[in-house]
Amino acid sequence: MTVEKMAEYLWGLPEQFASILEQGISLPVKYQHNYSNIVVTGLGGSAIGGDIIRTYALQKAQVPVIVNRDYDMPNFVNSDSLVLTVSYSGNTEETLSAYHHARTQGAAIIAVTSGGKLADIARQDGYGVVKIPGGLAPRAATGYLFAPLALIFEELGIVKGAKTDLKETVQVLKAIREGIHPGVDFPENQARVIAREMKDSLPIIWGSSARSETAAMRWKTQINENAKSPTYYNIFPELNHNEIVGFGMPKDLLARLVIIILRDPADHPQVKKRIEISKEIVRSHVKKIVEIQAQGESFLAKFYSLAYMGDYASFYLALEYGINPSPVETIDYLKAELAKA
Ligand code: F6R
């Protein structure tokens, strides 16, 4: 995939939500059940939608939602569980294995995929399959991968207002992209400015709460996969109980850290204080501190406003390094080696 294609997919994220909203989801009546738990199983770009819906459900749902990134299923999964198996390609071995465990344990299963073995097996087994458009890198298809989960949750009565929140997300992202797309140059383009700060540095992403943890994770994985660079993340208040002590040594490494803080105007007042104190603790040791405020009202709009900035910043970081953000040859190599075995 070319650089231009990746730029096109970044621009098209709001339209991914809009197209799933327009298409809608219709589930057989057998899925209407009082589930005792919900598991989203997947890996990488397909799993992160699970984290978004898990965090969304924390505030909106009565039922616990967990994300599984493994070959197995948690032991508690049974006939009162709903398992959403998400794999963009439909061929990820861990997800296929987890699917089989979920089936053996008697769970209700819905597959979200663009095709592959997962679509075939789930259809043969009589489970629901939500087919999404193929041909993108999974991480560039986050709208296609997440929106069906939100609609499934709404359709099953697990959360209310998902469609409204997705519509707000579309509007917020459309406004944000006007300021950060490749036609907007440095220094007006905030994502390009952040990319230049991150160049030749180690970005450390701090989410301001458990709600922004998934946005911090998305920043990390996008920097890894697009810019082929290392980066790590943590969240408040947890990082005040360990990571904050680690700004003593080695001085030359600390001097190359760029701290990126993802904030939400609705953060706990104590967290707001913690962030200010933490900035003062690390300021003289690190290269730079960058802060990004979430935009919008709903959790989904806020999440995606933070994540979208990271999607573009990681894209520009790849360009700063003179590399194509699209290929993930190391992941392809690992999958091919494992397939041989
Ligand atoms: C590649 C990417 C990866 C994949 C992961 C699982 O863009 O983001 O993290 O998402 O290797 O593959 P799928 O999504 O096909 O199940």
Side-chain angles (χ1 to χ4, degrees):
M1 198 203 297
T2 60
V3 174
E4 290 73 25
K5 270 278 162 214
M6 185 56 100
E8 208 179 283
Y9 293 139
L10 285 178
W11 175 265
L13 177 60
E15 281 74 17
Q16 291 185 17
F17 295 117
S19 84
I20 299 284
L21 274 167
E22 198 183 328
Q23 194 182 305
I25 295 278
S26 98
L27 292 173
V29 69
K30 69 174 178 182
Y31 284 103
Q32 296 292 343
H33 181 81
N34 196 10
Y35 296 109
S36 46
N37 51 69
I38 300 174
V39 178
V40 183
T41 194
L43 276 297
S46 290
I48 200 145
D51 285 300
I52 306 167
I53 202 77
R54 173 183 62 77
T55 321
Y56 188 53
L58 280 178
Q59 298 145 61
K60 292 209 163 213
Q62 298 297 322
V63 55
V65 179
I66 72 140
V67 183
N68 183 58
R69 289 180 162 86
D70 214 333
Y71 288 88
D72 305 323
M73 265 293 122
N75 197 37
F76 63 73
V77 167
N78 59 26
S79 56
D80 283 327
S81 306
L82 173 65
V83 175
L84 304 174
T85 52
V86 187
S87 170
Y88 189 66
S89 62
N91 293 322
T92 298
E93 65 170 36
E94 298 95 315
T95 313
L96 291 170
S97 165
Y99 169 91
H100 288 295
H101 282 279
R103 189 184 57 183
T104 309
Q105 289 170 232
I109 300 176
I110 302 172
V112 177
T113 180
S114 71
K117 290 182 195 147
L118 181 61
D120 292 343
I121 305 167
R123 267 196 209 105
Q124 276 163 25
D125 291 342
Y127 294 121
V129 176
V130 178
K131 187 97 168 22
I132 55 174
L136 285 73
R139 66 190 184 284
T142 174
Y144 290 139
L145 285 161
F146 172 71
L149 306 186
L151 295 192
I152 290 168
F153 271 51
E154 185 155 35
E155 171 98 4
L156 296 179
I158 297 158
V159 300
K160 287 197 179 78
K163 284 195 202 89
T164 312
D165 293 351
L166 282 172
K167 283 179 194 156
E168 191 211 356
T169 305
V170 171
Q171 294 317 316
V172 167
L173 296 191
K174 280 185 174 173
I176 290 175
R177 73 183 175 184
E178 290 302 329
I180 57 173
H181 69 84
V184 184
D185 279 335
F186 182 90
E188 286 73 28
N189 186 327
Q190 195 192 354
R192 283 191 197 271
V193 172
I194 298 170
R196 223 166 260 191
E197 297 289 0
M198 292 195 292
K199 190 181 179 206
D200 298 325
S201 307
L202 178 61
I204 301 290
I205 320 297
W206 284 351
S208 58
S209 67
R211 282 173 295 124
S212 51
E213 179 170 14
T214 307
M217 186 201 291
R218 172 76 177 176
W219 267 72
K220 175 199 172 338
T221 57
Q222 288 290 76
I223 292 169
N224 293 149
E225 294 187 54
N226 289 340
K228 282 74 179 164
S229 304
T231 169
Y232 299 93
Y233 76 91
N234 207 336
I235 54 167
F236 286 94
E238 175 65 18
L239 74 86
N240 275 176
H241 298 271
N242 35 65
E243 184 165 323
I244 200 67
V245 188
F247 283 78
M249 300 299 274
K251 303 247 177 262
D252 52 345
L253 175 64
L254 293 171
R256 293 181 70 171
L257 301 189
V258 170
I259 308 288
I260 298 172
I261 308 176
L262 308 183
R263 308 190 62 159
D264 179 337
D267 284 333
H268 193 288
Q270 285 301 102
V271 164
K272 288 182 179 167
K273 285 188 205 158
R274 286 178 178 278
I275 291 175
E276 294 315 312
I277 300 166
S278 301
K279 276 162 41 185
E280 290 325 306
I281 293 171
V282 304
R283 192 182 300 284
S284 62
H285 303 286
V286 302
K287 182 180 160 195
K288 182 90 185 172
I289 300 171
V290 175
E291 293 180 69
I292 301 163
Q293 285 286 357
Q295 295 179 41
E297 295 300 323
S298 64
F299 166 80
L300 291 185
K302 284 181 182 173
F303 165 80
Y304 273 105
S305 74
L306 293 171
Y308 209 29
M309 185 61 74
D311 286 2
Y312 269 102
S314 60
F315 169 81
Y316 293 128
L317 181 58
L319 302 191
E320 288 283 338
Y321 285 133
I323 52 179
N324 182 346
S326 303
V328 282
E329 281 159 13
T330 316
I331 298 177
D332 298 340
Y333 167 76
L334 267 160
K335 287 185 178 178
E337 286 299 301
L338 281 155
K340 273 188 216 162

